Amino acid sequence: LAKTTQPISMDSYEGQEVNITCSHNNIATNDYITWYQQFPSQGPRFIIQGYKTKVTNEVASLFIPADRKSSTLSLPRVSLSDTAVYYCLVGDGVDNAGNMLTFGGGTRLMVKP
Amino acid sequence: NAGVTQTPKFQVLKTGQSMTLQCAQDMNHNSMYWYRQDPGMGLRLIYYSASEGTTDKGEVPNGYNVSRLNKREFSLRLESAAPSQTSVYFCASSEFLAGYTFGSGTRLTVV
């Protein structure tokens, strides 16, 4: 089971770049890393997914070092609407050993004006 | 739009009543899940179904039962509701490399 560790909360100001790091020391060879965003009263939604190095889309960038034991979600120039909880998930559902992956508590990002 | 549909969106139950939360997905995903989320807390897995015909307990299964009716549908049943089950319930589905897709949630209050 690839357990993840993230900061509980982070504060930022509008226009700043925010980096949220997730540790996953026991990541398996075939595990992808996926980040989700959850607004109040809504279900989490997919932001970005990667396996190694760097992935970028219109919302965020994901940096994964060579050892893949951590990953960093980067949100460029955040706005108030980026205030949400961000979850790091390693793997996809049930792994080959039958272990269930869980979302954990996530990182609560507060963007201030 | 393709996705996960949950019904109902809101429900108030009296202690001891039973109810079933319905979930359906149209993305042909194999895996489906039920989570609960209490105010200010993270998601906790109740039950999951890795494929049609199989179900397994998650972190907090007590007081719940599930049925994977077919590949599309995964229902959650509360046999005798308790105030401790007041929460927001999310259904989700997933497929390898497709990530999770969540429904919009069911807000349940047990009085």
Side-chain angles (χ1 to χ4, degrees), chain A residues 26-71:
Chain A
N26 297 321
I27 189 168
T29 302
N30 61 348
D31 282 340
Y32 277 72
I33 300 156
T34 313
W35 284 79
Y36 294 82
Q37 176 189 54
Q38 185 181 25
F39 297 116
S41 302
Q42 296 183 25
R45 69 178 187 120
F46 174 96
I47 301 177
I48 196 166
Q49 183 181 73
Y51 184 80
K52 61 181 179 181
T53 64
K54 177 184 175 182
V55 179
T56 297
N57 62 21
E58 65 278 6
V59 176
S61 294
L62 178 59
F63 299 92
I64 305 168
D67 66 7
R68 302 198 332 117
K69 295 186 176 185
S70 66
S71 59

mmCIF file of all heavy atoms in Angstrom, chain A residues 26-71:
data_model
loop_
_atom_site.group_PDB
_atom_site.id
_atom_site.type_symbol
_atom_site.label_atom_id
_atom_site.label_comp_id
_atom_site.label_asym_id
_atom_site.label_seq_id
_atom_site.Cartn_x
_atom_site.Cartn_y
_atom_site.Cartn_z
ATOM 1 N N ASN A 26 6.902 4.343 -0.571
ATOM 2 C CA ASN A 26 6.713 2.936 -0.956
ATOM 3 C C ASN A 26 6.042 2.779 -2.318
ATOM 4 O O ASN A 26 5.408 1.761 -2.579
ATOM 5 C CB ASN A 26 5.893 2.215 0.109
ATOM 6 C CG ASN A 26 6.605 2.193 1.443
ATOM 7 O OD1 ASN A 26 7.813 2.015 1.502
ATOM 8 N ND2 ASN A 26 5.853 2.386 2.513
ATOM 9 N N ILE A 27 6.201 3.755 -3.155
ATOM 10 C CA ILE A 27 5.554 3.695 -4.463
ATOM 11 C C ILE A 27 6.050 2.481 -5.251
ATOM 12 O O ILE A 27 7.237 2.130 -5.222
ATOM 13 C CB ILE A 27 5.800 5.000 -5.254
ATOM 14 C CG1 ILE A 27 4.954 5.038 -6.516
ATOM 15 C CG2 ILE A 27 7.282 5.203 -5.536
ATOM 16 C CD1 ILE A 27 4.934 6.388 -7.186
ATOM 17 N N ALA A 28 5.125 1.809 -5.920
ATOM 18 C CA ALA A 28 5.467 0.625 -6.709
ATOM 19 C C ALA A 28 5.872 1.025 -8.123
ATOM 20 O O ALA A 28 5.534 2.116 -8.602
ATOM 21 C CB ALA A 28 4.279 -0.332 -6.752
ATOM 22 N N THR A 29 6.562 0.122 -8.771
ATOM 23 C CA THR A 29 7.111 0.413 -10.092
ATOM 24 C C THR A 29 6.049 0.850 -11.093
ATOM 25 O O THR A 29 6.286 1.742 -11.905
ATOM 26 C CB THR A 29 7.836 -0.831 -10.641
ATOM 27 O OG1 THR A 29 8.856 -1.210 -9.720
ATOM 28 C CG2 THR A 29 8.453 -0.548 -12.005
ATOM 29 N N ASN A 30 4.887 0.257 -11.044
ATOM 30 C CA ASN A 30 3.865 0.569 -12.036
ATOM 31 C C ASN A 30 2.836 1.597 -11.560
ATOM 32 O O ASN A 30 1.814 1.806 -12.207
ATOM 33 C CB ASN A 30 3.151 -0.706 -12.477
ATOM 34 C CG ASN A 30 2.463 -1.385 -11.311
ATOM 35 O OD1 ASN A 30 2.698 -1.046 -10.162
ATOM 36 N ND2 ASN A 30 1.609 -2.337 -11.601
ATOM 37 N N ASP A 31 3.093 2.232 -10.430
ATOM 38 C CA ASP A 31 2.141 3.230 -9.901
ATOM 39 C C ASP A 31 2.300 4.583 -10.588
ATOM 40 O O ASP A 31 3.411 5.100 -10.707
ATOM 41 C CB ASP A 31 2.362 3.435 -8.403
ATOM 42 C CG ASP A 31 1.776 2.332 -7.562
ATOM 43 O OD1 ASP A 31 0.882 1.617 -8.058
ATOM 44 O OD2 ASP A 31 2.201 2.204 -6.395
ATOM 45 N N TYR A 32 1.199 5.161 -10.987
ATOM 46 C CA TYR A 32 1.160 6.542 -11.410
ATOM 47 C C TYR A 32 0.793 7.413 -10.209
ATOM 48 O O TYR A 32 0.281 6.932 -9.200
ATOM 49 C CB TYR A 32 0.125 6.732 -12.515
ATOM 50 C CG TYR A 32 0.651 6.370 -13.885
ATOM 51 C CD1 TYR A 32 0.873 5.044 -14.237
ATOM 52 C CD2 TYR A 32 0.929 7.356 -14.816
ATOM 53 C CE1 TYR A 32 1.367 4.711 -15.483
ATOM 54 C CE2 TYR A 32 1.405 7.036 -16.072
ATOM 55 C CZ TYR A 32 1.632 5.722 -16.392
ATOM 56 O OH TYR A 32 2.116 5.391 -17.618
ATOM 57 N N ILE A 33 1.077 8.698 -10.317
ATOM 58 C CA ILE A 33 0.760 9.659 -9.266
ATOM 59 C C ILE A 33 -0.301 10.601 -9.807
ATOM 60 O O ILE A 33 -0.140 11.180 -10.892
ATOM 61 C CB ILE A 33 2.008 10.447 -8.861
ATOM 62 C CG1 ILE A 33 3.081 9.480 -8.338
ATOM 63 C CG2 ILE A 33 1.661 11.502 -7.814
ATOM 64 C CD1 ILE A 33 4.481 10.027 -8.463
ATOM 65 N N THR A 34 -1.382 10.739 -9.058
ATOM 66 C CA THR A 34 -2.495 11.553 -9.511
ATOM 67 C C THR A 34 -2.875 12.548 -8.427
ATOM 68 O O THR A 34 -2.864 12.216 -7.245
ATOM 69 C CB THR A 34 -3.711 10.671 -9.837
ATOM 70 O OG1 THR A 34 -3.302 9.562 -10.641
ATOM 71 C CG2 THR A 34 -4.764 11.452 -10.605
ATOM 72 N N TRP A 35 -3.189 13.747 -8.836
ATOM 73 C CA TRP A 35 -3.634 14.780 -7.912
ATOM 74 C C TRP A 35 -5.078 15.156 -8.212
ATOM 75 O O TRP A 35 -5.484 15.248 -9.386
ATOM 76 C CB TRP A 35 -2.740 16.019 -8.018
ATOM 77 C CG TRP A 35 -1.406 15.841 -7.358
ATOM 78 C CD1 TRP A 35 -0.324 15.185 -7.868
ATOM 79 C CD2 TRP A 35 -1.016 16.331 -6.080
ATOM 80 N NE1 TRP A 35 0.717 15.241 -6.977
ATOM 81 C CE2 TRP A 35 0.328 15.941 -5.877
ATOM 82 C CE3 TRP A 35 -1.655 17.068 -5.083
ATOM 83 C CZ2 TRP A 35 1.033 16.253 -4.721
ATOM 84 C CZ3 TRP A 35 -0.949 17.386 -3.934
ATOM 85 C CH2 TRP A 35 0.390 16.977 -3.756
ATOM 86 N N TYR A 36 -5.806 15.415 -7.114
ATOM 87 C CA TYR A 36 -7.204 15.782 -7.216
ATOM 88 C C TYR A 36 -7.450 17.068 -6.434
ATOM 89 O O TYR A 36 -6.746 17.375 -5.474
ATOM 90 C CB TYR A 36 -8.099 14.674 -6.646
ATOM 91 C CG TYR A 36 -8.052 13.390 -7.432
ATOM 92 C CD1 TYR A 36 -7.028 12.470 -7.234
ATOM 93 C CD2 TYR A 36 -9.024 13.102 -8.385
ATOM 94 C CE1 TYR A 36 -6.963 11.306 -7.966
ATOM 95 C CE2 TYR A 36 -8.972 11.927 -9.119
ATOM 96 C CZ TYR A 36 -7.947 11.046 -8.902
ATOM 97 O OH TYR A 36 -7.886 9.884 -9.633
ATOM 98 N N GLN A 37 -8.495 17.772 -6.847
ATOM 99 C CA GLN A 37 -8.894 19.024 -6.209
ATOM 100 C C GLN A 37 -10.338 18.880 -5.745
ATOM 101 O O GLN A 37 -11.187 18.367 -6.490
ATOM 102 C CB GLN A 37 -8.784 20.165 -7.229
ATOM 103 C CG GLN A 37 -9.243 21.516 -6.769
ATOM 104 C CD GLN A 37 -9.288 22.481 -7.957
ATOM 105 O OE1 GLN A 37 -9.918 22.215 -8.980
ATOM 106 N NE2 GLN A 37 -8.602 23.600 -7.831
ATOM 107 N N GLN A 38 -10.606 19.325 -4.521
ATOM 108 C CA GLN A 38 -11.980 19.255 -4.023
ATOM 109 C C GLN A 38 -12.410 20.594 -3.459
ATOM 110 O O GLN A 38 -11.781 21.130 -2.537
ATOM 111 C CB GLN A 38 -12.124 18.178 -2.939
ATOM 112 C CG GLN A 38 -13.569 18.006 -2.491
ATOM 113 C CD GLN A 38 -13.749 16.970 -1.404
ATOM 114 O OE1 GLN A 38 -12.845 16.678 -0.648
ATOM 115 N NE2 GLN A 38 -14.960 16.403 -1.338
ATOM 116 N N PHE A 39 -13.501 21.112 -4.010
ATOM 117 C CA PHE A 39 -14.142 22.314 -3.486
ATOM 118 C C PHE A 39 -15.198 21.893 -2.475
ATOM 119 O O PHE A 39 -15.702 20.762 -2.525
ATOM 120 C CB PHE A 39 -14.787 23.116 -4.613
ATOM 121 C CG PHE A 39 -13.803 23.627 -5.615
ATOM 122 C CD1 PHE A 39 -13.838 23.195 -6.935
ATOM 123 C CD2 PHE A 39 -12.838 24.561 -5.257
ATOM 124 C CE1 PHE A 39 -12.936 23.664 -7.862
ATOM 125 C CE2 PHE A 39 -11.925 25.031 -6.181
ATOM 126 C CZ PHE A 39 -11.967 24.572 -7.485
ATOM 127 N N PRO A 40 -15.573 22.797 -1.569
ATOM 128 C CA PRO A 40 -16.604 22.459 -0.582
ATOM 129 C C PRO A 40 -17.889 21.973 -1.239
ATOM 130 O O PRO A 40 -18.321 22.506 -2.263
ATOM 131 C CB PRO A 40 -16.815 23.794 0.150
ATOM 132 C CG PRO A 40 -15.518 24.503 0.013
ATOM 133 C CD PRO A 40 -15.003 24.133 -1.344
ATOM 134 N N SER A 41 -18.452 20.945 -0.687
ATOM 135 C CA SER A 41 -19.731 20.371 -1.123
ATOM 136 C C SER A 41 -19.667 19.723 -2.501
ATOM 137 O O SER A 41 -20.717 19.472 -3.113
ATOM 138 C CB SER A 41 -20.837 21.437 -1.117
ATOM 139 O OG SER A 41 -20.983 21.986 0.167
ATOM 140 N N GLN A 42 -18.470 19.472 -2.993
ATOM 141 C CA GLN A 42 -18.325 18.780 -4.268
ATOM 142 C C GLN A 42 -17.408 17.585 -4.105
ATOM 143 O O GLN A 42 -16.604 17.530 -3.183
ATOM 144 C CB GLN A 42 -17.746 19.721 -5.329
ATOM 145 C CG GLN A 42 -18.622 20.896 -5.681
ATOM 146 C CD GLN A 42 -18.011 21.736 -6.785
ATOM 147 O OE1 GLN A 42 -17.214 21.242 -7.581
ATOM 148 N NE2 GLN A 42 -18.370 22.998 -6.821
ATOM 149 N N GLY A 43 -17.518 16.639 -5.036
ATOM 150 C CA GLY A 43 -16.592 15.533 -5.046
ATOM 151 C C GLY A 43 -15.253 15.952 -5.616
ATOM 152 O O GLY A 43 -15.170 16.926 -6.377
ATOM 153 N N PRO A 44 -14.178 15.263 -5.263
ATOM 154 C CA PRO A 44 -12.864 15.589 -5.836
ATOM 155 C C PRO A 44 -12.882 15.448 -7.355
ATOM 156 O O PRO A 44 -13.620 14.623 -7.905
ATOM 157 C CB PRO A 44 -11.945 14.543 -5.202
ATOM 158 C CG PRO A 44 -12.640 14.132 -3.950
ATOM 159 C CD PRO A 44 -14.097 14.193 -4.273
ATOM 160 N N ARG A 45 -12.046 16.258 -8.001
ATOM 161 C CA ARG A 45 -11.939 16.136 -9.448
ATOM 162 C C ARG A 45 -10.477 16.036 -9.835
ATOM 163 O O ARG A 45 -9.601 16.600 -9.187
ATOM 164 C CB ARG A 45 -12.597 17.319 -10.157
ATOM 165 C CG ARG A 45 -11.874 18.647 -9.994
ATOM 166 C CD ARG A 45 -12.549 19.754 -10.753
ATOM 167 N NE ARG A 45 -11.756 20.980 -10.715
ATOM 168 C CZ ARG A 45 -11.277 21.600 -11.778
ATOM 169 N NH1 ARG A 45 -11.513 21.108 -12.982
ATOM 170 N NH2 ARG A 45 -10.575 22.691 -11.658
ATOM 171 N N PHE A 46 -10.232 15.307 -10.900
ATOM 172 C CA PHE A 46 -8.884 15.066 -11.406
ATOM 173 C C PHE A 46 -8.225 16.368 -11.836
ATOM 174 O O PHE A 46 -8.832 17.200 -12.506
ATOM 175 C CB PHE A 46 -9.009 14.111 -12.594
ATOM 176 C CG PHE A 46 -7.738 13.847 -13.338
ATOM 177 C CD1 PHE A 46 -6.978 12.736 -13.046
ATOM 178 C CD2 PHE A 46 -7.306 14.698 -14.353
ATOM 179 C CE1 PHE A 46 -5.817 12.471 -13.748
ATOM 180 C CE2 PHE A 46 -6.142 14.438 -15.051
ATOM 181 C CZ PHE A 46 -5.395 13.333 -14.755
ATOM 182 N N ILE A 47 -6.955 16.547 -11.438
ATOM 183 C CA ILE A 47 -6.183 17.700 -11.912
ATOM 184 C C ILE A 47 -5.111 17.272 -12.888
ATOM 185 O O ILE A 47 -5.026 17.763 -14.011
ATOM 186 C CB ILE A 47 -5.484 18.447 -10.751
ATOM 187 C CG1 ILE A 47 -6.454 18.957 -9.719
ATOM 188 C CG2 ILE A 47 -4.687 19.624 -11.316
ATOM 189 C CD1 ILE A 47 -5.732 19.634 -8.551
ATOM 190 N N ILE A 48 -4.252 16.342 -12.447
ATOM 191 C CA ILE A 48 -3.088 16.001 -13.245
ATOM 192 C C ILE A 48 -2.569 14.636 -12.816
ATOM 193 O O ILE A 48 -2.771 14.221 -11.676
ATOM 194 C CB ILE A 48 -2.002 17.088 -13.100
ATOM 195 C CG1 ILE A 48 -0.945 16.987 -14.198
ATOM 196 C CG2 ILE A 48 -1.366 17.053 -11.702
ATOM 197 C CD1 ILE A 48 -0.056 18.229 -14.288
ATOM 198 N N GLN A 49 -1.922 13.964 -13.749
ATOM 199 C CA GLN A 49 -1.365 12.644 -13.473
ATOM 200 C C GLN A 49 -0.010 12.515 -14.150
ATOM 201 O O GLN A 49 0.183 13.039 -15.253
ATOM 202 C CB GLN A 49 -2.309 11.557 -13.989
ATOM 203 C CG GLN A 49 -1.869 10.141 -13.710
ATOM 204 C CD GLN A 49 -2.853 9.120 -14.282
ATOM 205 O OE1 GLN A 49 -2.948 8.900 -15.473
ATOM 206 N NE2 GLN A 49 -3.621 8.515 -13.380
ATOM 207 N N GLY A 50 0.917 11.812 -13.484
ATOM 208 C CA GLY A 50 2.229 11.616 -14.083
ATOM 209 C C GLY A 50 2.905 10.373 -13.559
ATOM 210 O O GLY A 50 2.493 9.789 -12.543
ATOM 211 N N TYR A 51 3.959 9.972 -14.264
ATOM 212 C CA TYR A 51 4.742 8.808 -13.850
ATOM 213 C C TYR A 51 6.160 9.206 -13.443
ATOM 214 O O TYR A 51 6.668 8.742 -12.427
ATOM 215 C CB TYR A 51 4.796 7.782 -14.974
ATOM 216 C CG TYR A 51 5.496 6.506 -14.585
ATOM 217 C CD1 TYR A 51 4.845 5.535 -13.845
ATOM 218 C CD2 TYR A 51 6.835 6.286 -14.936
ATOM 219 C CE1 TYR A 51 5.481 4.362 -13.468
ATOM 220 C CE2 TYR A 51 7.490 5.127 -14.558
ATOM 221 C CZ TYR A 51 6.802 4.167 -13.825
ATOM 222 O OH TYR A 51 7.448 3.022 -13.440
ATOM 223 N N LYS A 52 6.780 10.062 -14.224
ATOM 224 C CA LYS A 52 8.120 10.533 -13.870
ATOM 225 C C LYS A 52 8.365 11.883 -14.547
ATOM 226 O O LYS A 52 7.588 12.317 -15.402
ATOM 227 C CB LYS A 52 9.182 9.533 -14.277
ATOM 228 C CG LYS A 52 9.246 9.248 -15.767
ATOM 229 C CD LYS A 52 10.322 8.230 -16.075
ATOM 230 C CE LYS A 52 10.375 7.931 -17.571
ATOM 231 N NZ LYS A 52 11.415 6.912 -17.893
ATOM 232 N N THR A 53 9.409 12.533 -14.142
ATOM 233 C CA THR A 53 9.868 13.849 -14.619
ATOM 234 C C THR A 53 8.793 14.913 -14.443
ATOM 235 O O THR A 53 8.361 15.182 -13.343
ATOM 236 C CB THR A 53 10.363 13.767 -16.071
ATOM 237 O OG1 THR A 53 9.293 13.404 -16.938
ATOM 238 C CG2 THR A 53 11.493 12.758 -16.181
ATOM 239 N N LYS A 54 8.369 15.526 -15.527
ATOM 240 C CA LYS A 54 7.448 16.652 -15.417
ATOM 241 C C LYS A 54 6.277 16.501 -16.366
ATOM 242 O O LYS A 54 6.436 16.086 -17.513
ATOM 243 C CB LYS A 54 8.198 17.956 -15.718
ATOM 244 C CG LYS A 54 7.323 19.201 -15.698
ATOM 245 C CD LYS A 54 8.126 20.428 -16.094
ATOM 246 C CE LYS A 54 7.238 21.668 -16.198
ATOM 247 N NZ LYS A 54 8.000 22.860 -16.621
ATOM 248 N N VAL A 55 5.111 16.853 -15.847
ATOM 249 C CA VAL A 55 3.897 16.874 -16.658
ATOM 250 C C VAL A 55 3.242 18.236 -16.475
ATOM 251 O O VAL A 55 3.201 18.751 -15.357
ATOM 252 C CB VAL A 55 2.910 15.768 -16.231
ATOM 253 C CG1 VAL A 55 1.640 15.828 -17.060
ATOM 254 C CG2 VAL A 55 3.559 14.391 -16.328
ATOM 255 N N THR A 56 2.756 18.804 -17.541
ATOM 256 C CA THR A 56 2.095 20.107 -17.454
ATOM 257 C C THR A 56 0.803 20.083 -18.252
ATOM 258 O O THR A 56 0.762 19.535 -19.351
ATOM 259 C CB THR A 56 3.009 21.222 -17.998
ATOM 260 O OG1 THR A 56 4.173 21.289 -17.186
ATOM 261 C CG2 THR A 56 2.308 22.573 -17.945
ATOM 262 N N ASN A 57 -0.237 20.673 -17.673
ATOM 263 C CA ASN A 57 -1.471 20.888 -18.421
ATOM 264 C C ASN A 57 -1.935 22.314 -18.191
ATOM 265 O O ASN A 57 -1.188 23.133 -17.655
ATOM 266 C CB ASN A 57 -2.541 19.841 -18.066
ATOM 267 C CG ASN A 57 -2.952 19.884 -16.613
ATOM 268 O OD1 ASN A 57 -2.771 20.899 -15.928
ATOM 269 N ND2 ASN A 57 -3.502 18.778 -16.144
ATOM 270 N N GLU A 58 -3.141 22.622 -18.574
ATOM 271 C CA GLU A 58 -3.612 24.001 -18.501
ATOM 272 C C GLU A 58 -3.871 24.460 -17.065
ATOM 273 O O GLU A 58 -4.047 25.648 -16.810
ATOM 274 C CB GLU A 58 -4.880 24.171 -19.347
ATOM 275 C CG GLU A 58 -6.079 23.388 -18.840
ATOM 276 C CD GLU A 58 -6.068 21.932 -19.275
ATOM 277 O OE1 GLU A 58 -5.061 21.487 -19.884
ATOM 278 O OE2 GLU A 58 -7.070 21.241 -19.004
ATOM 279 N N VAL A 59 -3.898 23.532 -16.139
ATOM 280 C CA VAL A 59 -4.223 23.861 -14.756
ATOM 281 C C VAL A 59 -2.983 23.881 -13.863
ATOM 282 O O VAL A 59 -2.852 24.749 -12.997
ATOM 283 C CB VAL A 59 -5.239 22.847 -14.188
ATOM 284 C CG1 VAL A 59 -5.510 23.121 -12.726
ATOM 285 C CG2 VAL A 59 -6.526 22.875 -14.991
ATOM 286 N N ALA A 60 -2.089 22.904 -14.034
ATOM 287 C CA ALA A 60 -0.994 22.717 -13.084
ATOM 288 C C ALA A 60 0.176 22.020 -13.749
ATOM 289 O O ALA A 60 0.096 21.572 -14.888
ATOM 290 C CB ALA A 60 -1.489 21.895 -11.893
ATOM 291 N N SER A 61 1.258 21.944 -12.972
ATOM 292 C CA SER A 61 2.414 21.135 -13.352
ATOM 293 C C SER A 61 2.678 20.133 -12.238
ATOM 294 O O SER A 61 2.386 20.400 -11.063
ATOM 295 C CB SER A 61 3.647 22.001 -13.567
ATOM 296 O OG SER A 61 3.484 22.852 -14.684
ATOM 297 N N LEU A 62 3.225 19.012 -12.624
ATOM 298 C CA LEU A 62 3.550 17.963 -11.667
ATOM 299 C C LEU A 62 5.014 17.588 -11.860
ATOM 300 O O LEU A 62 5.422 17.229 -12.976
ATOM 301 C CB LEU A 62 2.654 16.745 -11.891
ATOM 302 C CG LEU A 62 2.890 15.529 -10.992
ATOM 303 C CD1 LEU A 62 2.717 15.903 -9.523
ATOM 304 C CD2 LEU A 62 1.925 14.398 -11.356
ATOM 305 N N PHE A 63 5.776 17.705 -10.796
ATOM 306 C CA PHE A 63 7.197 17.395 -10.839
ATOM 307 C C PHE A 63 7.452 16.124 -10.036
ATOM 308 O O PHE A 63 7.053 16.028 -8.868
ATOM 309 C CB PHE A 63 8.024 18.546 -10.252
ATOM 310 C CG PHE A 63 7.867 19.825 -10.995
ATOM 311 C CD1 PHE A 63 6.912 20.757 -10.638
ATOM 312 C CD2 PHE A 63 8.686 20.110 -12.089
ATOM 313 C CE1 PHE A 63 6.768 21.945 -11.338
ATOM 314 C CE2 PHE A 63 8.560 21.298 -12.787
ATOM 315 C CZ PHE A 63 7.591 22.215 -12.411
ATOM 316 N N ILE A 64 8.132 15.176 -10.670
ATOM 317 C CA ILE A 64 8.417 13.900 -10.033
ATOM 318 C C ILE A 64 9.905 13.618 -10.182
ATOM 319 O O ILE A 64 10.402 13.509 -11.308
ATOM 320 C CB ILE A 64 7.593 12.765 -10.684
ATOM 321 C CG1 ILE A 64 6.100 13.103 -10.646
ATOM 322 C CG2 ILE A 64 7.852 11.437 -9.965
ATOM 323 C CD1 ILE A 64 5.243 12.200 -11.512
ATOM 324 N N PRO A 65 10.642 13.513 -9.072
ATOM 325 C CA PRO A 65 12.076 13.249 -9.163
ATOM 326 C C PRO A 65 12.342 11.822 -9.620
ATOM 327 O O PRO A 65 11.433 10.997 -9.692
ATOM 328 C CB PRO A 65 12.552 13.461 -7.725
ATOM 329 C CG PRO A 65 11.354 13.179 -6.890
ATOM 330 C CD PRO A 65 10.176 13.631 -7.689
ATOM 331 N N ALA A 66 13.606 11.549 -9.929
ATOM 332 C CA ALA A 66 13.981 10.260 -10.493
ATOM 333 C C ALA A 66 13.621 9.086 -9.574
ATOM 334 O O ALA A 66 13.220 8.021 -10.053
ATOM 335 C CB ALA A 66 15.474 10.242 -10.808
ATOM 336 N N ASP A 67 13.745 9.251 -8.263
ATOM 337 C CA ASP A 67 13.437 8.139 -7.367
ATOM 338 C C ASP A 67 11.937 7.951 -7.140
ATOM 339 O O ASP A 67 11.517 6.965 -6.535
ATOM 340 C CB ASP A 67 14.166 8.289 -6.024
ATOM 341 C CG ASP A 67 13.682 9.482 -5.222
ATOM 342 O OD1 ASP A 67 12.697 10.137 -5.621
ATOM 343 O OD2 ASP A 67 14.290 9.772 -4.180
ATOM 344 N N ARG A 68 11.151 8.891 -7.577
ATOM 345 C CA ARG A 68 9.680 8.848 -7.531
ATOM 346 C C ARG A 68 9.128 8.711 -6.124
ATOM 347 O O ARG A 68 7.952 8.386 -5.950
ATOM 348 C CB ARG A 68 9.152 7.707 -8.406
ATOM 349 C CG ARG A 68 9.582 7.808 -9.837
ATOM 350 C CD ARG A 68 8.792 7.010 -10.835
ATOM 351 N NE ARG A 68 8.172 5.814 -10.340
ATOM 352 C CZ ARG A 68 6.856 5.623 -10.324
ATOM 353 N NH1 ARG A 68 6.040 6.566 -10.745
ATOM 354 N NH2 ARG A 68 6.362 4.480 -9.892
ATOM 355 N N LYS A 69 9.910 9.015 -5.108
ATOM 356 C CA LYS A 69 9.424 8.880 -3.741
ATOM 357 C C LYS A 69 8.679 10.111 -3.250
ATOM 358 O O LYS A 69 8.210 10.171 -2.109
ATOM 359 C CB LYS A 69 10.572 8.529 -2.803
ATOM 360 C CG LYS A 69 11.173 7.159 -3.100
ATOM 361 C CD LYS A 69 12.197 6.754 -2.076
ATOM 362 C CE LYS A 69 12.678 5.331 -2.377
ATOM 363 N NZ LYS A 69 13.596 4.822 -1.348
ATOM 364 N N SER A 70 8.581 11.098 -4.091
ATOM 365 C CA SER A 70 7.785 12.277 -3.770
ATOM 366 C C SER A 70 7.296 12.881 -5.074
ATOM 367 O O SER A 70 7.763 12.512 -6.160
ATOM 368 C CB SER A 70 8.601 13.311 -2.992
ATOM 369 O OG SER A 70 9.633 13.821 -3.811
ATOM 370 N N SER A 71 6.379 13.798 -4.955
ATOM 371 C CA SER A 71 5.930 14.544 -6.131
ATOM 372 C C SER A 71 5.478 15.920 -5.662
ATOM 373 O O SER A 71 5.098 16.092 -4.492
ATOM 374 C CB SER A 71 4.802 13.821 -6.862
ATOM 375 O OG SER A 71 3.694 13.615 -6.015
#
